[in-house]
Amino acid sequence: HPNLIHMFNGIPFTTRSSTDLLRSLDTFQAREDDLLLVSYPKSGTHWLAEIIKNLYDSKVTLTSPLEFGELSKLEEMKNLPSRRIIPTHLSYNMLPHDLKAKKCKSIYIVRNPKDTAVSLYHYYRDNPNLPTIEAWPAYFNMFMQGEVVCGSWFDHILGWEEHKNDGTILILYYESMKKNLPKSIQKICSFLGLSISDQEINEVSRMSSFNEMKNNVEKENHDPNHTVCALTSNRKLIFRKGAVGDWKNHFSSKQNRLFDEVYKSKMESSALARRIRYE
Ligand code: A3P
């Protein structure tokens, strides 16, 4: 798929991330108060972004994804007012140096990889920016091999997890958010030093529910500057089911066994993986 996907640093990117931009990412100039929203695709990035937006009551600048666009992107970022909230699917080792040097905060959202795999499968089917794929069994193998856009889920997690004790990263779990959103929002507030009443937290929870977001998107016009996933400008593609456990409708028992084996061996050393509600 030469016109949709290109390889950079061994990772498949869509052509929406230009080689020039990817090559120059390290010259990105960070600001101390930049906040990164980090995820492997389909982990709940838009949900997290909506919560942040509501918490700050639009007094912040939600930028387009760091890796999205042409070289001119870096110049455009300079003109945006603070505080910049910057979404990204980049692996830790591709993150611009200055963001690390200035100790910018990151929120990393992680989701059961089986549900993430299923969500990405449907994204491949619906998103014209991604290559046509074959049926689920072939896609499943691609996912396991890390031959999907943004590379291996396992590597993404492990790379970021190495830095979880730097004191600048908050890790959120999609399944915990589904279970108790106000509690997750409370965690975000403590991490960001925001003080906010229980009533406001409940209001933010309500405004960022799946149904609320899905209904709102039907009314919006697409603004390419307002997607938080580098793989699309079409928010309508994002809100599919928003459920936990949809993998059970896709995985065969053999695929499930294989996945569990790979997970066990690859994630053996991962404390983060043990906290994912995996069933
Ligand atoms: P599904 O495809 O399983 O429905 P991202 O924003 O990282 O692209 O992730 C998209 C996934 O998050 C989709 O999963 C989408 O439905 C789900 N999602 C989006 N908003 C949500 C919300 N408010 N609550 C729960 N899930 C949400």
Side-chain angles (χ1 to χ4, degrees), residues 28-165:
F28 173 77
Q29 290 174 15
R31 298 177 193 158
E32 253 122 51
D33 67 346
D34 283 339
L35 172 64
L36 289 171
L37 306 183
V38 191
S39 60
Y40 186 82
K42 313 321 287 173
S43 304
T45 331
H46 290 80
W47 190 12
L48 174 60
E50 185 72 16
I51 293 167
I52 300 290
K53 224 173 65 192
N54 286 326
L55 279 175
Y56 281 105
D57 202 13
S58 306
K59 286 191 285 279
V60 286
T61 309
L62 181 59
T63 77
S64 63
L66 189 52
E67 65 276 23
F68 167 61
E70 308 293 328
L71 186 57
S72 56
K73 164 66 168 282
L74 294 172
E75 232 15 76
E76 287 155 27
M77 292 287 286
K78 285 186 191 163
N79 299 325
L80 297 176
S82 298
R83 178 175 200 177
R84 298 182 300 191
I85 312 289
I86 309 172
T88 184
H89 293 317
L90 287 174
S91 58
Y92 188 87
N93 64 6
M94 275 195 69
L95 201 65
H97 174 76
D98 205 25
L99 285 161
K100 300 172 183 170
K102 296 215 165 85
K103 301 196 189 324
C104 299
K105 286 186 176 177
S106 309
I107 304 181
Y108 188 93
I109 181 167
V110 47
R111 183 182 191 185
N112 179 340
K114 294 179 186 175
D115 281 339
T116 305
V118 166
S119 182
L120 186 59
Y121 169 68
H122 289 281
Y123 207 38
Y124 261 90
R125 310 218 102 185
D126 302 339
N127 185 345
N129 298 315
L130 293 174
T132 314
I133 49 158
E134 290 174 55
W136 166 258
Y139 164 84
F140 175 82
N141 293 331
M142 280 170 64
F143 185 88
M144 296 312 283
Q145 302 299 322
E147 286 165 3
V148 288
V149 71
C150 296
S152 155
W153 178 90
F154 303 94
D155 293 347
H156 203 278
I157 299 285
L158 293 171
W160 275 90
E161 181 175 16
E162 260 182 59
H163 301 276
K164 75 173 189 304
N165 296 327

